[in-house]
Amino acid sequence: MTHPLPLRRLILSLGLCLWAGSSSFAAAPPADPARAQLADGKSRFDKLCISCHGADGAGKDTYGPALQNRPELSAALIRERIVKGKHGDHAMPPWGTVLDRPAIDALVAYVEVLRQPAAAGAADPLSPFDLNDPARIEKGRKRFAKTCAGYCHGHEGVGGRAPDFKGRTDLGPQQTFDTIYHGRTGADVMPPWGAAFSEESIWELVAYLQFLGRQPAD
């Protein structure tokens, strides 16, 4: 049975309206795969490997060897160590029985960055997307307004109980991420949000705070 022409036009019009309405709720652009993999690798390294290799693989006064500035470490050797572990001095557990292939790939990619001579001083944060992306900044702004502004940080990061964010050029992206994720104690106590927000959501907050830092202080 075919619909009368006016009814078919009505159905088509409703479909176009629904499509147009849904476009206003479009999600932020997807994370760049390479950046996302490095960000995942760093996150896993921070959770699993810091206790032996130190923060960012620096290795100072740690059980495991330093990983920074180690160009002699090939990707194949890095993968073998992660998958099979190591016996003898500075023994290392085999992570191949615990982690899946994507997780191991992410760790290998991150350690490959660490081993390069310029990695230790690299300024580019290991975020899963461009922190200057307007869509990500806007998502961070909305999350900040809903979660962070009212009690502690004030509207647009100004006038709250905590120091203002506008004009703050001293807060690096990774430092900001770590503070949001782990929280802080002391005079300016802050709860840890790592269990409440995904890491991608925290990076969106970082993107917004970096944006605020570029605005003139009130």
Side-chain angles (χ1 to χ4, degrees), residues 52-136:
C52 286
H53 293 286
D56 297 323
K60 184 178 180 181
D61 299 325
T62 58
Y63 174 78
L67 298 174
Q68 287 183 7
N69 304 325
R70 295 282 303 279
E72 76 279 7
L73 296 178
S74 67
L77 178 59
I78 294 169
R79 182 178 298 276
E80 181 181 352
R81 284 285 186 267
I82 293 172
V83 172
K84 298 182 179 179
K86 179 179 178 292
H87 299 289
D89 293 339
H90 303 296
M92 174 176 166
W95 291 103
T97 59
V98 178
L99 303 177
D100 60 16
R101 178 64 180 269
I104 292 172
D105 289 346
L107 273 173
V108 172
Y110 178 60
V111 176
E112 280 203 274
V113 170
L114 291 181
R115 73 181 180 85
Q116 299 171 15
D124 189 29
L126 291 179
S127 58
F129 50 80
D130 183 358
L131 294 178
N132 295 315
D133 187 327
R136 298 290 186 173

Side-chain angles (χ1 to χ4, degrees), residues 6 14 17 20 23 27 31 56 59 67-68 97-98 111 136 140 156 160 163 172 184 196 201 212 218:
L14 286 173
C17 289
S23 65
D56 297 323
L67 298 174
Q68 287 183 7
T97 59
V98 178
V111 176
R136 298 290 186 173
E156 294 187 345
R184 60 181 297 171
S201 296
L212 288 181
D218 293 340

Side-chain angles (χ1 to χ4, degrees), residues 156-196:
E156 294 187 345
V158 175
R161 295 173 175 83
D164 294 347
F165 285 119
K166 278 190 175 180
R168 291 286 300 277
T169 59
D170 58 316
L171 298 176
Q174 191 62 54
Q175 174 192 357
T176 305
F177 177 92
D178 291 341
T179 301
I180 296 172
Y181 190 97
H182 297 291
R184 60 181 297 171
T185 57
D188 295 322
V189 65
M190 174 176 164
W193 292 98

